[in-house]
Coordinates of all heavy atoms in Angstrom, one line a residue:
M80 N 0.8 -1.2 0.0 CA 0.0 0.0 0.0 C 0.9 1.2 0.0 O 1.9 1.2 0.6 CB -0.9 0.0 1.2 CG -2.0 -0.9 1.2 SD -3.1 -0.6 2.6 CE -4.3 -2.0 2.3
P81 N 0.4 2.3 -0.7 CA 1.1 3.6 -0.7 C 1.3 4.1 0.7 O 0.4 3.9 1.6 CB 0.3 4.5 -1.5 CG -0.6 3.6 -2.2 CD -0.8 2.4 -1.4
S82 N 2.3 4.9 1.0 CA 2.4 5.5 2.3 C 2.3 7.0 2.1 O 2.3 7.5 1.0 CB 3.8 5.2 2.9 OG 4.8 5.7 2.1
G83 N 2.2 7.7 3.2 CA 2.1 9.2 3.2 C 0.7 9.7 3.0 O -0.3 8.9 3.0
R84 N 0.6 10.9 2.8 CA -0.7 11.6 2.7 C -1.3 11.3 1.3 O -0.6 10.9 0.4 CB -0.5 13.1 2.8 CG 0.0 13.5 4.2 CD -1.0 14.2 5.0 NE -0.6 14.4 6.4 CZ -0.8 15.5 7.0 NH1 -1.4 16.5 6.4 NH2 -0.4 15.7 8.3
L85 N -2.5 11.5 1.3 CA -3.3 11.3 0.0 C -3.0 12.3 -1.0 O -2.7 13.5 -0.7 CB -4.8 11.3 0.3 CG -5.3 10.2 1.3 CD1 -6.8 10.4 1.5 CD2 -5.0 8.8 0.8
S86 N -3.1 12.0 -2.3 CA -3.0 12.9 -3.4 C -4.3 13.6 -3.6 O -5.4 13.2 -3.0 CB -2.6 12.2 -4.7 OG -3.7 11.4 -5.1
Y87 N -4.3 14.7 -4.3 CA -5.6 15.4 -4.6 C -6.6 14.5 -5.3 O -7.8 14.5 -4.8 CB -5.4 16.7 -5.4 CG -6.6 17.5 -5.5 CD1 -7.3 18.0 -4.4 CD2 -7.1 17.8 -6.8 CE1 -8.5 18.7 -4.6 CE2 -8.3 18.5 -6.9 CZ -9.0 19.0 -5.8 OH -10.1 19.7 -5.9
P88 N -6.3 13.7 -6.3 CA -7.3 12.8 -6.9 C -7.8 11.8 -5.9 O -9.0 11.5 -5.9 CB -6.5 12.1 -8.0 CG -5.5 13.1 -8.4 CD -5.1 13.7 -7.1
E89 N -7.0 11.3 -4.9 CA -7.5 10.4 -3.9 C -8.4 11.1 -3.0 O -9.4 10.6 -2.6 CB -6.3 9.9 -3.1 CG -5.5 8.8 -3.9 CD -4.2 8.4 -3.2 OE1 -3.5 9.2 -2.6 OE2 -4.0 7.2 -3.1
R90 N -8.1 12.4 -2.6 CA -9.0 13.2 -1.8 C -10.4 13.4 -2.4 O -11.4 13.3 -1.8 CB -8.4 14.5 -1.4 CG -7.2 14.4 -0.5 CD -6.7 15.7 0.0 NE -5.8 15.5 1.1 CZ -4.5 15.6 0.9 NH1 -3.9 15.9 -0.2 NH2 -3.7 15.3 2.0
L91 N -10.4 13.6 -3.8 CA -11.7 13.7 -4.4 C -12.5 12.4 -4.4 O -13.7 12.5 -4.2 CB -11.4 14.1 -5.9 CG -10.9 15.5 -6.2 CD1 -10.5 15.6 -7.6 CD2 -11.9 16.5 -5.8
R92 N -11.8 11.3 -4.4 CA -12.5 10.0 -4.3 C -12.9 9.8 -2.9 O -14.0 9.2 -2.7 CB -11.5 8.9 -4.8 CG -11.3 9.0 -6.3 CD -10.3 7.9 -6.8 NE -10.8 6.6 -6.6 CZ -10.0 5.5 -6.7 NH1 -8.8 5.6 -7.1 NH2 -10.5 4.3 -6.6
V93 N -12.2 10.2 -1.9 CA -12.6 10.1 -0.5 C -13.9 11.0 -0.3 O -14.9 10.5 0.2 CB -11.5 10.6 0.5 CG1 -12.1 10.7 1.9 CG2 -10.4 9.6 0.5
A94 N -13.9 12.2 -0.8 CA -15.0 13.1 -0.7 C -16.3 12.4 -1.3 O -17.4 12.4 -0.8 CB -14.7 14.4 -1.3
A95 N -16.1 11.8 -2.5 CA -17.2 11.2 -3.2 C -17.7 10.0 -2.4 O -18.9 9.8 -2.3 CB -16.8 10.8 -4.6
G96 N -16.8 9.2 -1.9 CA -17.2 8.0 -1.1 C -17.9 8.5 0.2 O -19.0 7.8 0.5
V97 N -17.5 9.5 0.9 CA -18.2 9.9 2.0 C -19.5 10.4 1.7 O -20.5 10.1 2.3 CB -17.3 11.1 2.7 CG1 -18.2 11.8 3.8 CG2 -16.0 10.5 3.3
A98 N -19.6 11.2 0.6 CA -20.9 11.7 0.1 C -21.9 10.6 -0.2 O -23.1 10.7 0.0 CB -20.7 12.7 -1.0
D99 N -21.4 9.5 -0.7 CA -22.2 8.3 -1.1 C -22.5 7.5 0.0 O -23.2 6.5 -0.2 CB -21.5 7.6 -2.3 CG -21.4 8.2 -3.6 OD1 -22.2 9.2 -3.8 OD2 -20.6 7.8 -4.5
G100 N -22.0 7.8 1.2 CA -22.3 7.0 2.4 C -21.5 5.7 2.5 O -21.9 4.8 3.2
L101 N -20.4 5.6 1.8 CA -19.5 4.4 1.9 C -18.8 4.3 3.2 O -18.5 5.4 3.8 CB -18.5 4.4 0.7 CG -19.0 4.3 -0.7 CD1 -17.8 4.4 -1.6 CD2 -19.8 3.1 -0.9
S102 N -18.5 3.2 3.7 CA -17.7 3.0 4.9 C -16.3 3.5 4.6 O -15.8 3.4 3.5 CB -17.7 1.6 5.4 OG -17.0 0.7 4.5
Y103 N -15.6 3.8 5.7 CA -14.1 4.1 5.5 C -13.4 2.9 5.0 O -12.4 3.1 4.2 CB -13.6 4.7 6.8 CG -14.1 5.9 7.3 CD1 -14.5 6.1 8.6 CD2 -14.4 7.0 6.4 CE1 -15.0 7.3 9.1 CE2 -14.9 8.2 6.9 CZ -15.3 8.4 8.2 OH -15.8 9.5 8.6
A104 N -13.7 1.8 5.5 CA -13.1 0.5 5.0 C -13.3 0.4 3.4 O -12.3 0.0 2.7 CB -13.6 -0.7 5.7
E105 N -14.5 0.6 3.0 CA -14.7 0.5 1.5 C -14.0 1.6 0.7 O -13.4 1.3 -0.3 CB -16.2 0.6 1.2 CG -16.6 0.4 -0.2 CD -16.1 -0.9 -0.9 OE1 -16.0 -1.9 -0.2 OE2 -15.9 -0.9 -2.1
I106 N -14.0 2.8 1.2 CA -13.2 3.8 0.6 C -11.7 3.5 0.5 O -11.1 3.6 -0.5 CB -13.4 5.2 1.3 CG1 -14.9 5.6 1.2 CG2 -12.5 6.3 0.7 CD1 -15.2 6.8 2.1
G107 N -11.2 3.0 1.6 CA -9.8 2.6 1.7 C -9.5 1.5 0.7 O -8.5 1.5 0.0
R108 N -10.4 0.5 0.6 CA -10.2 -0.6 -0.4 C -10.1 -0.1 -1.8 O -9.3 -0.5 -2.6 CB -11.3 -1.7 -0.3 CG -11.1 -2.7 0.8 CD -12.1 -3.8 0.7 NE -13.4 -3.4 1.0 CZ -14.0 -3.4 2.3 NH1 -13.2 -3.6 3.3 NH2 -15.2 -3.0 2.4
R109 N -11.1 0.8 -2.1 CA -11.1 1.4 -3.5 C -9.9 2.2 -3.8 O -9.5 2.3 -5.0 CB -12.4 2.2 -3.7 CG -13.6 1.3 -3.6 CD -14.9 2.2 -3.8 NE -16.0 1.3 -3.7 CZ -17.3 1.7 -4.1 NH1 -17.4 2.9 -4.6 NH2 -18.3 0.9 -4.1
L110 N -9.3 2.8 -2.8 CA -8.0 3.6 -3.0 C -6.8 2.8 -2.9 O -5.7 3.3 -3.3 CB -8.0 4.7 -2.0 CG -9.0 5.8 -2.1 CD1 -8.8 6.8 -0.9 CD2 -8.9 6.6 -3.3
G111 N -6.9 1.5 -2.4 CA -5.7 0.8 -2.1 C -5.0 1.3 -0.9 O -3.7 1.2 -0.8
R112 N -5.7 1.9 0.1 CA -5.2 2.5 1.3 C -5.8 1.8 2.5 O -6.9 1.2 2.4 CB -5.5 4.0 1.3 CG -4.9 4.9 0.2 CD -3.4 5.0 0.5 NE -2.9 6.1 -0.4 CZ -2.0 6.9 0.0 NH1 -1.5 6.9 1.2 NH2 -1.5 7.8 -0.8
S113 N -5.2 2.0 3.6 CA -5.8 1.4 4.8 C -7.0 2.2 5.3 O -7.1 3.4 5.0 CB -4.8 1.3 5.9 OG -4.4 2.6 6.4
K114 N -7.9 1.5 6.0 CA -9.0 2.2 6.6 C -8.6 3.3 7.5 O -9.2 4.4 7.5 CB -9.9 1.2 7.3 CG -11.0 1.8 8.1 CD -11.9 0.7 8.8 CE -11.1 0.1 10.0 NZ -12.0 -0.7 10.8
S115 N -7.5 3.1 8.3 CA -7.1 4.1 9.2 C -6.5 5.4 8.5 O -6.7 6.5 9.0 CB -6.0 3.5 10.2 OG -4.9 3.1 9.4
T116 N -6.0 5.2 7.3 CA -5.5 6.4 6.6 C -6.7 7.3 6.2 O -6.7 8.5 6.3 CB -4.8 6.0 5.3 OG1 -3.6 5.3 5.7 CG2 -4.4 7.2 4.4
V117 N -7.8 6.6 5.8 CA -9.0 7.3 5.4 C -9.6 8.0 6.6 O -10.0 9.2 6.5 CB -10.0 6.4 4.7 CG1 -11.3 7.1 4.3 CG2 -9.4 5.8 3.4
I118 N -9.7 7.3 7.7 CA -10.3 7.8 9.0 C -9.5 9.0 9.4 O -10.1 10.1 9.7 CB -10.3 6.8 10.1 CG1 -11.3 5.6 9.7 CG2 -10.6 7.4 11.4 CD1 -11.2 4.4 10.6
R119 N -8.2 9.0 9.4 CA -7.4 10.1 9.8 C -7.6 11.3 8.9 O -7.7 12.4 9.3 CB -5.9 9.7 10.0 CG -5.6 8.9 11.2 CD -4.1 8.8 11.4 NE -3.4 8.2 10.3 CZ -3.2 6.9 10.1 NH1 -3.7 6.0 11.0 NH2 -2.6 6.5 9.0
E120 N -7.6 11.0 7.6 CA -7.7 12.1 6.6 C -9.1 12.8 6.8 O -9.1 14.1 6.8 CB -7.7 11.5 5.2 CG -8.1 12.4 4.1 CD -7.0 13.5 3.8 OE1 -5.9 13.4 4.2 OE2 -7.4 14.5 3.1
V121 N -10.1 12.1 7.0 CA -11.5 12.7 7.1 C -11.5 13.4 8.5 O -12.0 14.6 8.5 CB -12.6 11.6 7.0 CG1 -13.9 12.3 7.4 CG2 -12.6 11.1 5.6
A122 N -11.0 12.8 9.5 CA -11.1 13.4 10.9 C -10.3 14.7 10.9 O -10.8 15.7 11.6 CB -10.6 12.4 11.9
R123 N -9.1 14.8 10.3 CA -8.4 16.0 10.4 C -8.8 17.1 9.4 O -8.3 18.2 9.5 CB -6.9 15.7 10.2 CG -6.4 15.7 8.8 CD -4.8 15.6 8.8 NE -4.5 14.5 7.9 CZ -3.9 13.4 8.2 NH1 -3.6 13.1 9.5 NH2 -3.7 12.5 7.3
N124 N -9.8 16.8 8.6 CA -10.3 17.8 7.6 C -11.8 18.0 7.6 O -12.4 18.0 6.5 CB -9.8 17.4 6.2 CG -8.3 17.5 6.1 OD1 -7.7 18.6 6.2 ND2 -7.6 16.3 6.0
G125 N -12.4 18.1 8.8 CA -13.8 18.5 8.8 C -14.7 17.4 9.2 O -15.9 17.6 9.4
G126 N -14.3 16.1 9.3 CA -15.2 15.1 9.7 C -16.1 14.6 8.6 O -16.1 15.1 7.5
A127 N -16.9 13.6 8.9 CA -17.7 13.0 7.8 C -18.7 14.0 7.2 O -19.1 13.8 6.0 CB -18.5 11.8 8.4
H128 N -19.2 14.9 8.0 CA -20.2 15.9 7.5 C -19.6 17.1 6.9 O -20.2 17.9 6.2 CB -21.2 16.2 8.5 CG -22.0 15.0 9.0 ND1 -22.9 14.3 8.2 CD2 -21.9 14.3 10.2 CE1 -23.3 13.3 8.9 NE2 -22.8 13.3 10.1
G129 N -18.3 17.3 7.1 CA -17.6 18.6 6.6 C -16.4 18.4 5.7 O -15.8 19.3 5.4
Y130 N -16.1 17.1 5.3 CA -15.0 16.9 4.6 C -15.1 17.4 3.1 O -16.1 17.2 2.5 CB -14.7 15.4 4.4 CG -13.4 15.1 3.7 CD1 -12.2 15.1 4.3 CD2 -13.4 14.8 2.4 CE1 -11.0 14.9 3.7 CE2 -12.2 14.5 1.7 CZ -11.0 14.6 2.3 OH -9.9 14.3 1.7
R131 N -14.1 18.2 2.7 CA -14.1 18.8 1.4 C -12.7 18.5 0.9 O -11.7 18.9 1.5 CB -14.4 20.3 1.3 CG -15.8 20.6 1.9 CD -16.9 20.1 1.0 NE -18.2 20.5 1.5 CZ -18.9 19.7 2.3 NH1 -18.5 18.5 2.7 NH2 -20.1 20.1 2.7
A132 N -12.5 17.9 -0.3 CA -11.2 17.6 -0.9 C -10.4 18.9 -1.1 O -9.2 18.8 -0.8 CB -11.4 16.8 -2.2
D133 N -11.0 20.0 -1.6 CA -10.2 21.1 -1.8 C -9.6 21.7 -0.6 O -8.4 22.2 -0.5 CB -11.0 22.2 -2.6 CG -12.3 22.6 -2.0 OD1 -12.8 21.8 -1.1 OD2 -12.8 23.6 -2.3
R134 N -10.4 21.8 0.5 CA -9.9 22.3 1.8 C -8.8 21.3 2.4 O -7.8 21.8 2.9 CB -11.0 22.4 2.8 CG -11.8 23.7 2.5 CD -12.8 24.0 3.6 NE -13.9 23.0 3.6 CZ -14.9 22.9 4.4 NH1 -14.9 23.7 5.4 NH2 -15.7 22.0 4.3
A135 N -9.0 20.0 2.2 CA -8.0 19.1 2.7 C -6.7 19.2 2.0 O -5.6 19.2 2.5 CB -8.5 17.7 2.6
E136 N -6.8 19.4 0.7 CA -5.6 19.7 -0.2 C -4.9 20.9 0.3 O -3.6 21.0 0.4 CB -5.9 19.7 -1.6 CG -4.8 19.9 -2.5 CD -3.8 18.7 -2.6 OE1 -4.2 17.6 -2.1 OE2 -2.7 18.8 -3.2
Q137 N -5.6 22.0 0.5 CA -5.0 23.3 0.9 C -4.3 23.1 2.3 O -3.2 23.6 2.5 CB -6.1 24.3 1.0 CG -5.5 25.7 1.3 CD -6.6 26.8 1.3 OE1 -7.8 26.5 1.4 NE2 -6.2 28.0 1.2
A138 N -5.0 22.4 3.2 CA -4.4 22.2 4.5 C -3.1 21.4 4.4 O -2.2 21.6 5.2 CB -5.4 21.5 5.4
A139 N -3.1 20.4 3.5 CA -1.9 19.6 3.4 C -0.7 20.3 2.9 O 0.4 20.0 3.1 CB -2.2 18.4 2.5
R140 N -1.0 21.4 2.1 CA 0.1 22.2 1.5 C 0.8 23.1 2.5 O 1.8 23.7 2.2 CB -0.4 22.9 0.3 CG -0.7 22.0 -0.9 CD -1.3 22.8 -2.0 NE -1.7 21.9 -3.1 CZ -0.9 21.6 -4.2 NH1 0.2 22.2 -4.3 NH2 -1.4 20.8 -5.1
L141 N 0.1 23.4 3.6 CA 0.6 24.4 4.6 C 1.8 23.8 5.3 O 2.1 22.8 5.6 CB -0.5 24.8 5.6 CG -1.6 25.5 4.9 CD1 -2.7 25.9 6.0 CD2 -1.2 26.8 4.3

C-alpha cells in the first residue's frame, strides 16, 4: 500500500465516497489505502459531514 498523505485525486475519491455513504473501509479498499488512513484524513479535515477535498488539499500544503 502507498504511504504518506493522500494525493488530490485520492481526496476527491474520499469526498465522493463519504458523500455516497460508503464506509471508511470500503473507501480505503477502493483507493488501495488502509481504513485508518481514510479515517485520519477525514477526521483532520472536517469530519464525515464537513470533509471537502479542496480544503483538505489546501491544509496539506501548509
Side-chain angles (χ1 to χ4, degrees):
M80 284 189 186
S82 62
R84 298 251 174 138
L85 299 176
S86 66
Y87 185 60
E89 288 174 316
R90 288 188 171 101
L91 290 171
R92 292 175 64 191
V93 169
V97 168
D99 289 345
L101 298 178
S102 70
Y103 295 137
E105 180 59 27
I106 295 168
R108 275 192 292 277
R109 292 180 181 196
L110 292 175
R112 298 287 194 140
S113 70
K114 173 177 74 171
S115 61
T116 298
V117 177
I118 290 169
R119 285 191 304 270
E120 171 70 17
V121 173
R123 87 172 130 247
N124 293 294
H128 299 291
Y130 184 83
R131 301 291 181 269
D133 55 340
R134 284 190 289 177
E136 181 70 11
Q137 184 178 17
R140 292 177 183 261
L141 296 178

